[in-house]
Amino acid sequence: MKETKDHAALSEAFNADEPRVNWHDETLWFVRQKRDRAAQTIPDWELLRETASRIKHNVLSNLHDYLLQFEASARANGVIVHWAADAREHNQIVHAILQKHKVDRMVKSKSMLTEECHLNEYLAENGVEVIDSDLGERIVQLAKEPPSHIVLPSIHKKKEEVGMIFHEHLGTPTGMSDPQALTEAARQHLRETFLTRRAALTGVNFAVAETGEFVICTNEGNADMGAHLADVHIACMGIEKLIPERKHLGVFLRLLTRSATGQPITTYSSHFKKPREGHELHLVLVDNGRSVQLGREDFRNSLKCIRCGACMNTCPVYRRSGGHSYHTAVAGPIGSILAPNLDMKANADLPFASTLCGSCTNVCPVKIDIHDQLYKWRQVIVREGYADTKKTMGMKAMTATFASPATFKLAGKAGRWFMRHAPFAVNNRLNPWYKQRDMPAPPKESFGEWYLKNRKKKHE
């Protein structure tokens, strides 16, 4: 069980630098606007979303059969298939493959599943060096930070900060912050990695049950470089990544990058079906709580997620609190409905990190009812006794006050008196409501008193 952290406290740390918060907010909103323009170029965009949602619904309803079909097809293609019940087993399987080939250095492309399983940390403890080859992931790896966004892992870093990191670790000139020069430095650094690593690990965006093949989408071609130059390719995927047939790929490839970054298509959509001659291709199918989530009827739709990050780019809370405030591998609204399934107590704060405005639901390419699930998780967390004790006591006090007209009237009078004569009793550091707000002038009378007075005047 992980250490309990608090979204509000972590957000406060991010908010200490207001110019950075504004820049982070504007940058992600720019990406959201690109998504809107890209979606508007497709006349049947809503039909495409509905089709994707129904395909995924079919997959989740028949997951057992599709998994067996996929496994049989993949094995027939010469792929070595492994099953992992949880993160620990996943990490052990990957480590065993590396041990078998006497590999202690590996290159890895972006995989949020391995972030979820803490694979890098596990392999480091067992003497295996892992270099992330996605540029954003390499930046945060050098900075010793987790990704803050599933598509844009280092979106919280400014180019000047990246320049400082590269100067320290890659030996670039001091003060170099030109994005083109920094990218070239990363390219030279990673080229040596690609050429010298005998094992490569990738994620999986989509796996086709019909053919046993899988597809990896990248903009940098780093997954292809790693997988094609290594002797051993290990691909890791959650069991929900399946689609029934190859013809369904077109639906998801049209939605994925338009929703993620506003591009019409991912630069590289690479298909892997069988190992090259003399090489090994391993595929690790990971559950890690997904079958439990599948059994939760109210939250099953969260498994439709294709990891585009559109809900993060549009979320007003995410944009102004930063990805690290979510203290989980997948941040933002979608992470807040996935994480409680993994550890309800440790992630009990996350469903409350939302205004429930519904913007996440509106942009989701597979029509996940994200804000509705956030609301339902709050009810489950309160019912299970994982809600904040102070908040629970406060809500009980409010319930008792609103349930009794006499208590409500007395509480209103007391509140106005304290605001007028002892404002420090209300506006103090124990009351977080005032952290970003000024105390309003106390009203002279309650609404009830005003109403009675004015109704009396009307009848005079």
Side-chain angles (χ1 to χ4, degrees), residues 262-323:
Q263 295 169 246
I265 191 73
T266 316
T267 309
Y268 300 91
S269 296
S270 306
H271 295 237
F272 293 85
K273 188 173 182 181
K274 58 184 181 181
R276 288 175 294 136
E277 193 173 339
H279 295 72
E280 286 186 11
L281 176 54
H282 294 260
L283 186 70
V284 188
L285 290 158
V286 185
D287 185 325
N288 200 35
R290 285 161 177 78
S291 53
V292 175
Q293 188 84 326
L294 189 66
R296 298 180 194 270
E297 189 175 349
D298 285 341
F299 307 109
R300 181 180 301 157
N301 278 347
S302 63
L303 296 174
K304 293 180 178 177
C305 179
I306 58 173
R307 303 293 194 270
C308 67
C311 60
M312 301 179 187
N313 302 338
T314 198
C315 177
V317 175
Y318 176 89
R319 294 202 314 268
R320 296 200 69 83
S321 63

